[in-house]
Amino acid sequence: MAGLSDVPDPYALAVRLDGRRVLVVGAGTVATRRLPDLLAAGARVDVVAPEASTEVAGWAAAGRLRLQRRAFRPEDVLEPEPAWLVLTATGAVDAEVAAVAEQHRVWCSRADDAAASAVHRPAVARGAADGPAEGISVAVTAGGDPRRAVAVRDAVLAGLESATLPVRAHRPGGGGPACGKVWLVGAGPGDAGLISVRGRALLAAADVVVADRLGTAEHLADLPPEVEVVDVGKSPGRHGTIQDRIHELLVEHARAGRRVVRLKGGDPFVLGRGGEEVEHCVAAGVEVEVVPGITSATAVPAAAGIPVTHRGVSTSFVVASGHDGAAGLGPLLHAHGSTLVLLMAVAHLAEITAALVAAGRDPATPAAVVERGWTPQQRTTSAPLGELARVAAARGVTNPAVVVVGDVAAVPLAARADDPGDR
């Protein structure tokens, strides 16, 4: 059998088969493997074979193709109308089928001998539907070495799905969703490496990025100049107004047919108001997907060597917002058996710690505040609960910061050189 390296390089084409007749001779393993792509391409498929696999029989029963259980006849290439393409995978009469197709100038792909085929099927990598590489297809040939072609295809596919290859569309309707879509992507806390693979890939494919200030700067710096970046960072007293405008922006851009990434620090559903943004998009008829992120509630204490649970110390933890002070904590003030993790609590730290002690927490309970976790400016301040607010104020602790209250704050898993040491 000749190898493909013995013949001139093939001329590559992408062939549209929607509504066109394709004849498949054979219904065994190889044909079964090739048929889904033909069906997905919209071809009208006729299968001729004495025996058929369970899958082929099922597709025939569902009306997705026409199956004739008999041997190949030369007239099959032309009847009931000439085929545009013939695939033969019988292991017995492939040469005969190819000869008939050649006689009538119909392209024929032989599964048994690619070098003897007028056309042959390359290894194909396709971006997943609704993913960052949607609409991209890459075909790989390798001079008659199918395993080499498959290895390259798989590497290309990994690059497409992770967006390490350029996947962003540059023309309207360039393979992405026909109408726009919103993805709420959690960027994680501080370090750009903490975003998920899917989140990074969607960011690389975005037309518009609506971004918070916290945890997003490094990601935004890597975006190409044609990507529109909308900074919706919030400041005290403006949360409500800005949140309403965020809702409007997401819907406006999606309705304009754009791929919109709402980039949020941490996780969108952990005190990130992601639920409100999803509700608004759904109410407006805009498709939306949430891509989880690493929440600062666990990641920032971990960066400081503080586990929120630890065998023999704590088997549970609760996360709450300290934005509204002690009044916003309600029954969590009495959750003595769990590690308490507070976000946005620095402004009310004295009030919250006093309320925890008043609710029965031992003022000697270990506690810590970790500022700017996963950044070069990270700093940990540790002190007993009853002293934490005073020590933090003396050190000038500011947001963004995570407060941890519980015995885990005294677990010595990592050196804290920046710690004042008065636990």
Side-chain angles (χ1 to χ4, degrees), residues 43-309:
R44 292 187 294 109
V45 179
D46 285 340
V47 178
V48 175
E51 301 292 336
S53 69
T54 302
E55 292 86 351
V56 174
W59 293 326
R64 300 187 65 192
L65 54 81
R66 187 176 70 159
L67 172 62
Q68 299 182 70
R69 295 179 182 267
R70 58 170 175 78
F72 168 74
R73 300 170 185 163
E75 56 266 30
D76 290 331
V77 174
L78 299 178
E79 296 177 1
E81 63 181 89
W84 286 76
L85 175 66
V86 175
L87 274 67
T88 178
T90 67
V93 297
D94 296 323
E96 178 188 348
V97 175
V100 175
E102 181 74 16
Q103 177 185 352
H104 296 290
R105 296 187 177 182
V106 176
W107 299 117
C108 180
S109 174
R110 290 177 57 173
D112 67 325
D113 190 350
S117 298
V119 293
H120 70 274
R121 173 75 167 157
V124 178
R126 285 196 179 89
D130 200 31
E134 181 179 5
I136 295 177
S137 296
V138 179
V140 181
T141 62
D145 187 342
R147 290 188 180 181
R148 184 185 188 197
V150 167
V152 174
R153 177 203 65 189
D154 291 347
V156 169
L157 184 59
L160 292 176
E161 294 307 305
S162 65
T164 53
L165 293 176
V167 296
R168 184 175 171 272
H170 291 272
R171 293 183 180 181
C179 59
K181 179 175 175 177
V182 175
W183 287 266
L184 271 62
V185 174
D191 190 308
L194 296 179
I195 194 171
S196 68
V197 172
R198 179 163 176 78
R200 187 186 298 278
L202 290 168
L203 190 61
D207 300 310
V208 179
V209 178
V210 180
D212 287 344
R213 287 196 179 100
L214 294 179
T216 65
E218 288 185 72
H219 298 294
L220 300 181
D222 292 335
L223 294 175
E226 64 268 23
V227 177
E228 182 176 351
V229 177
V230 184
D231 180 358
V232 292
K234 298 173 183 176
S235 57
R238 300 177 60 216
H239 283 236
T241 302
I242 291 181
Q243 190 63 46
D244 292 341
R245 181 56 183 151
I246 290 171
H247 295 167
E248 295 170 359
L249 285 167
L250 298 179
V251 170
E252 287 172 9
H253 285 294
R255 284 179 172 170
R258 302 184 181 106
R259 301 172 66 98
V260 184
V261 167
R262 171 70 173 106
L263 190 63
K264 304 170 75 69
D267 181 278
F269 278 5
V270 180
L271 301 178
R273 303 189 75 169
E276 299 170 43
E277 293 170 10
V278 169
E279 287 178 340
H280 191 84
C281 288
V282 170
V286 170
E287 188 177 359
V288 60
E289 176 187 327
V290 177
V291 180
I294 298 175
T295 174
S296 60
T298 55
V300 169
I306 300 173
V308 294
T309 64

Side-chain angles (χ1 to χ4, degrees), residues 296 300-306 340-350 352-353 356 365-373 377-385 387-406 408-410 416 418-423:
S296 60
V300 169
I306 300 173
L340 179 60
V341 180
L342 299 172
L343 310 183
M344 301 173 286
V346 170
H348 300 281
L349 192 57
I352 290 171
T353 54
L356 288 169
T365 301
V369 185
V370 184
E371 300 170 84
R372 298 178 292 279
Q377 295 76 40
Q378 177 177 311
R379 182 174 69 158
T380 303
T381 298
S382 297
L385 177 62
E387 296 293 320
L388 184 65
R390 178 187 63 78
V391 174
R395 297 195 81 199
V397 169
T398 60
N399 281 317
V402 175
V403 177
V404 182
V405 178
V408 294
R416 303 170 197 166
D418 56 344
D419 201 302
D422 51 347
R423 278 197 263 253

